[in-house]
């Protein structure tokens, strides 16, 4: 069987008697027009390796395979493996399935070289996975990730906006971050309580050094931990006013008014 001869996703789910489980954050995209659009937004995929976390019934996986990618899919719920194996056969060997918790896998070993990440992430582990890919030893060439809309907005938030905070500063210090697609809750089966969005993250070149990122994590934790306070007081443990002065930052300013470049100066000064 080829990819276009596969039954519609809803039918595959029924054939395998599969229902979504809340504990695994399962909200499926069963409309191939939507999954194809997400694959397109990830850029040219022909001949490239994609790591997909949480393929579930495989709607996004199908779209990635149709676009010519070699896909390494990491799924925690073993119930989906038989259905995904059928997809693997139809792809002529372009799909590798790994049954594992994505938080624990070694992506460098799975990818065996350069790879992108494309995923409709489970809500409960989306942010820890993003932090792993931003700050861990393995660097994807790009990431196109579906989050709850509120999290997507925080990742790409401009300075001095309500959504601007630690996640945005760390993400934007490492990647160019852009919300590229919004999706209403009704696009998913079953629908979640909130809307979703896809964020595309492209690593900056050169990448900030590991030690600088560690310092940035410390500074942003302190600054946004008490975001209503002036930096001289929220950063007290790290040097307060003196640290700010060394970084050329007004010690009376509040965290949300300091742009990413400013936070990087504070991290360097630390
Ligand atoms: N990609 C599918 C789609 O778009 O229809 C499913 C997306 S659903 C939001 C999240 C998927 O991630 C589910 O299949 C779930 O079983 C899987 N999952 C949940 N936690 C996981 C983890 N820690 N590691 C790997 N997969 C996980």
């Amino acid at each position: 069987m080829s990819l276009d001869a596969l039954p519609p996703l809803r039918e595959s789910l029924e054939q395998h008697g599969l229902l979504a489980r809340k504990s695994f954050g399962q909200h499926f995209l069963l409309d191939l027009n939507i999954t194809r659009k997400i694959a397109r937004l990830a850029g040219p995929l022909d001949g490239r390796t994609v790591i997909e976390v949480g393929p579930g019934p495989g709607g996004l996986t199908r779209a990635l395979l149709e676009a010519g990618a070699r896909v390494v899919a990491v799924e925690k719920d073993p119930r989906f493996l038989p259905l995904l194996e059928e997809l693997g056969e139809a792809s002529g060997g372009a799909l590798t399935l790994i049954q594992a918790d994505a938080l624990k896998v070694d992506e460098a070993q799975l990818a065996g070289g350069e790879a992108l990440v494309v995923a409709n992430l489970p809500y409960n582990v989306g942010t820890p996975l993003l932090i792993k890919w931003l700050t861990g030893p393995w660097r994807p060439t790009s990431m196109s990730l579906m989050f709850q809309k509120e999290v997507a907005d925080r990742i790409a938030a401009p300075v001095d906006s309500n959504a601007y905070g630690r996640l945005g500063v760390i993400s934007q210090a490492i990647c160019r971050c852009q919300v590229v697609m919004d999706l209403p809750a009704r696009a998913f089966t079953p629908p979640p309580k909130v809307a979703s969005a896809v964020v595309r993250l492209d690593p900056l070149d050169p990448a900030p050094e590991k030690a600088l990122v560690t310092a940035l994590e410390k500074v942003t934790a302190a600054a946004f931990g008490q975001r209503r306070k002036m930096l001289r007081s929220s950063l007290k443990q790290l040097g307060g006013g003196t640290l700010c002065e060394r970084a050329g930052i007004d010690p009376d300013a509040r965290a949300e008014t300091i742009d990413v470049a400013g936070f990087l100066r504070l991290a360097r000064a630390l």
Side-chain angles (χ1 to χ4, degrees), residues 9 21 23-30 35 38 52-61 74-77 79-80 98 100-104 119-125 129 146 188-189:
L9 289 157
R21 268 193 196 150
S23 59
F24 282 93
Q26 290 174 346
H27 300 282
F28 304 133
L29 286 171
L30 303 180
T35 60
I38 298 171
E52 185 195 358
V53 166
L60 183 55
T61 325
V74 183
E75 174 57 63
K76 190 171 170 188
D77 187 347
R79 297 178 308 145
F80 287 93
I98 311 286
D101 180 344
L103 284 166
K104 297 186 182 148
N120 171 15
L121 292 174
Y123 288 159
N124 44 352
V125 286
L129 279 169
M146 176 91 70
F188 300 83
T189 306

Side-chain angles (χ1 to χ4, degrees), residues 9 117 176 213:
L9 289 157
V117 180
R176 201 168 78 89
V213 174

